Amino acid sequence: MATRDAVLGYGAAGAVFLALWEAAPRLGWIDGRLLPPFSDVVAALGAMAATATFWQQVQLTLLETLTAFVIALPVGALLGVLVQESRFASLVFKPLIFFVFSIPKSIFLPIFILILGIAFWQKVAFGIFSTVFIVMMTTFSAVESVREDQLRVARSLDASTMQKILFVYLPSMTPVLLEAVRVAMIFNFTGILLAEMYASREGIGNAIGVWGLGFQIKELLAMVLFVSVLAIGFNEAIRYVEAKCEHWRN
């Protein structure tokens, strides 16, 4: 019942927002050149979606995003476990990891461009870099949530580090990690779009940058609307996986 009420509330709020968006420029409350009516933006999105170029850009950005994500997630989780498992590594590397995480990642983008150019793997590498630190930091907390008695049993059986990761840490950490995966995807997707906007000839980010510089507001807002739908789709897909793994909390 609560979920149904929440959905109805979100739907009503969204309807009011879209109605205000449509009415404001048409009634002269705001300059239509700065904020076109919602219906015009949807029409622009429909026109773009009818072209092959649009879907090529979407396909490229999705490929870059998913490639970076499937690399960053296991790498960040594995490094996080290894660092947290070792007292020496924790003392040496955790302060560095927290320090790098606190720095805006965009300032490192020119370095990636100088080293990797503006091709596919530069976007992927920057997406990984934007994501891996939040995964590692979440893993630190997840490792601390593992029950000590389970670790004692694994050690008594002389389990290797990899066996402990696969059969003790991973099942216990999965619920905690899944809660952070959605945040990690936001970091990843944002990093990919930023890399495309900064130096690229293809992709959604490049299109947004070109339309912004050209003051093509309808097309710009149409792509922002499409990106928002993609982000919601990513979020709900991860939420579905999280719900399927709910029994691991017990």
Side-chain angles (χ1 to χ4, degrees):
M1 186 65 180
T3 302
R4 181 183 176 184
D5 291 342
V7 171
L8 290 175
Y10 292 145
V16 171
F17 172 75
L18 294 179
L20 289 173
W21 183 354
E22 180 71 23
R26 294 198 182 279
L27 296 177
W29 298 344
I30 190 170
D31 191 337
R33 292 172 298 180
L34 298 177
L35 182 65
F38 175 70
S39 58
D40 290 356
V41 173
V42 172
L45 179 58
M48 289 190 302
T51 65
T53 302
F54 173 81
W55 294 109
Q56 290 171 357
Q57 292 175 333
V58 171
Q59 182 179 9
L60 177 62
T61 299
L62 288 179
L63 182 60
E64 291 168 345
T65 301
L66 294 176
T67 302
F69 192 67
V70 299
I71 295 174
L73 190 60
V75 169
L78 179 60
L79 290 176
V81 171
L82 293 176
V83 170
Q84 185 69 17
E85 175 77 1
S86 169
R87 178 175 175 80
F88 174 77
S90 294
L91 293 174
V92 173
F93 294 110
K94 284 180 72 173
L96 295 175
I97 292 169
F98 281 94
F99 172 72
V100 175
F101 176 75
S102 66
I103 301 174
K105 304 300 178 294
S106 57
I107 67 174
F108 295 102
L109 184 53
I111 298 175
F112 282 83
I113 295 172
L114 287 173
I115 296 174
L116 299 173
I118 60 173
F120 175 85
W121 286 106
Q122 179 261 325
K123 316 299 188 303
V124 172
F126 188 71
I128 294 171
F129 179 73
S130 300
T131 309
V132 72
F133 291 99
I134 186 64
V135 177
M136 292 177 66
M137 292 174 63
T138 304
T139 303
F140 296 155
S141 300
V143 169
E144 294 174 354
S145 70
V146 177
R147 290 166 51 184
E148 185 61 32
D149 58 332
Q150 294 176 334
L151 289 173
R152 281 199 298 268
V153 171
R155 294 188 186 109
S156 68
L157 295 174
D158 198 25
S160 65
T161 300
M162 188 55 64
Q163 287 174 325
K164 285 188 288 185
I165 290 174
L166 292 176
F167 300 111
V168 180
Y169 283 116
L170 185 59
S172 300
M173 290 165 44
T174 296
V176 179
L177 288 176
L178 284 174
E179 291 176 353
V181 161
R182 284 179 284 168
V183 178
M185 176 55 83
I186 293 172
F187 277 77
N188 178 49
F189 196 30
T190 303
I192 295 294
L193 291 177
L194 181 62
E196 288 182 341
M197 291 175 66
Y198 195 94
S200 180
R201 291 187 291 267
E202 299 175 292
I204 293 175
N206 174 68
I208 291 174
V210 170
W211 287 327
L213 291 174
F215 204 67
Q216 296 171 267
I217 304 300
K218 289 181 184 179
E219 290 79 6
L220 174 62
L221 291 178
M223 188 61 85
V224 170
L225 186 63
F226 182 78
V227 168
S228 300
V229 173
L230 280 182
I232 293 172
F234 282 136
N235 184 73
E236 293 305 313
I238 297 170
R239 189 192 299 273
Y240 175 79
V241 175
E242 183 180 350
K244 288 295 183 181
C245 298
E246 183 70 23
H247 64 281
W248 280 10
R249 294 180 186 276
N250 302 321

